Amino acid sequence: MSEPTCVFRRDGERRYVPTEQARGPWDPQALHGGAPAALITSAFESIEPGAELRMARLGFEFLRPIPMAPLRLSTSVVRGGRRVQELAAELHAEPEDGGEPVLVCRASGLRLAEVPEGLPTLPEDAAQGPVDRPMVDFDVAEPRRFGLDSTDSVSFAASAMEMRWEGDPWRLGPGRVWQRLGIDLVEGEPLTPLARLAASADFGNGVSASLPFDGYLFINADLHVHLHRAPRGEWIGLDSRTLLSAGGAGLSESVLHDRDGAVGRAFQSLVVGRR
């Protein structure tokens, strides 16, 4: 049987059915967080009025594993305005037994007016943050399929995403990778650079795994993205690291790039434990 050519299929105005391409790494019956993050981001972009504003922040709270089940998405404008808008979304999963839909993800977005032209020149050391560095040259990065085991033939990471790595993707510690969602997010619908970025931003904890996949879980309970400019193009780069403190909390941090340079940062709070 051929692989699905989309992550979701639309079933009505606000109902989406995930395909195998949405599957995550921790549970074969649960979605990768990047799939709903991209879906919600795409919905945020279409909200009017205010689509001309720039997305400055995206936040996703994964309240429970998102099942391979029909999902219903609702969005709203919490705070309207010509210069600042706050958006909200809820994603509900429909149980197989026909019971009440279950809330699985809450999301928020902040849209702001564009920074005006003609500002004074920034100080030289303000244009680059303390951990920003250019990504490895795209043409040098090595194409690699990234599935957690030999049975992971169709999933969001292994087949929906095209990846080009700097170095060995299985090496523990900080990692750097170029990613492109190579199929439709929603069947037959165009995909924006911002939705592509949301799909990739959720990979930071895997790209920079500090613990071996076969012995430990390090599942992100949330994803928060801050942008200083809009992404461009199809390819998104992650320069990621994971910080773990015994008795504390796990944190993954990624500098997000397009092929023109850094565009923002993503943060994930991690639930860490033995398998």
Side-chain angles (χ1 to χ4, degrees):
M1 183 180 296
S2 61
E3 296 179 1
T5 58
C6 60
V7 181
F8 295 99
R9 293 189 173 97
R10 185 186 289 273
D11 183 18
E13 184 178 354
R14 296 184 300 133
R15 189 172 186 262
Y16 301 88
V17 180
T19 73
E20 287 182 295
Q21 300 278 18
R23 188 160 56 89
W26 308 113
D27 180 345
Q29 299 304 314
L31 273 59
H32 191 288
L39 184 69
I40 294 169
T41 298
S42 182
F44 278 162
E45 289 186 277
S46 67
I47 292 176
E48 293 284 6
E52 73 282 357
L53 300 177
R54 293 299 185 189
M55 193 68 73
R57 174 178 51 78
L58 291 162
F60 306 91
E61 311 295 335
F62 301 117
L63 306 178
R64 60 185 68 202
I66 300 175
M68 294 284 290
L71 303 171
R72 191 167 295 277
L73 175 61
S74 62
T75 60
S76 62
V77 178
V78 178
R79 173 190 177 186
R82 293 183 298 106
R83 294 187 293 179
V84 179
Q85 286 188 352
E86 184 179 354
L87 311 177
E90 290 189 347
L91 194 65
H92 288 79
E94 298 181 358
E96 292 182 1
D97 60 8
E100 287 295 316
V102 178
L103 179 63
V104 292
C105 179
R106 286 196 184 99
S108 63
L110 184 69
R111 299 198 293 199
L112 305 177
E114 293 183 3
V115 175
E117 300 287 346
L119 296 180
T121 302
L122 291 175
E124 185 174 345
D125 59 356
Q128 181 166 311
V131 297
D132 288 0
R133 52 181 179 160
M135 287 288 292
V136 63
D137 185 87
F138 178 83
D139 296 321
V140 174
E142 181 181 359
R144 294 284 293 270
R145 192 176 174 98
F146 187 63
L148 291 193
D149 56 54
S150 60
T151 65
D152 197 17
S153 58
V154 181
S155 70
F156 198 65
S159 54
M161 279 286 183
E162 298 177 28
M163 300 192 191
R164 289 173 171 255
W165 289 83
E166 176 184 349
D168 181 2
W170 301 108
R171 180 180 61 83
L172 297 182
R176 308 174 82 192
V177 64
W178 286 104
Q179 296 186 329
R180 183 180 85 95
L181 184 55
I183 60 176
D184 288 350
L185 177 65
V186 179
E187 187 174 35
E189 299 183 15
L191 186 59
T192 66
L194 184 62
R196 290 182 180 279
L197 179 140
S200 292
D202 194 63
F203 278 85
N205 58 330
V207 171
S208 64
S210 293
L211 298 168
F213 286 100
D214 58 355
Y216 294 88
L217 301 169
F218 33 95
I219 304 168
N220 60 299
D222 69 355
L223 169 65
H224 287 84
V225 177
H226 293 260
L227 300 171
H228 61 81
R229 70 167 173 85
R232 297 185 282 265
E234 296 186 340
W235 287 90
I236 301 298
L238 278 75
D239 186 351
S240 305
R241 64 175 181 163
T242 292
L243 304 174
L244 300 176
S245 299
L251 173 68
S252 175
E253 175 187 9
S254 300
V255 181
L256 303 173
H257 297 251
D258 61 20
R259 295 188 67 180
D260 294 326
V263 301
R265 280 170 169 72
F267 301 90
Q268 299 166 295
S269 302
L270 306 181
V271 179
V272 181
R274 294 184 182 274
R275 283 186 179 271

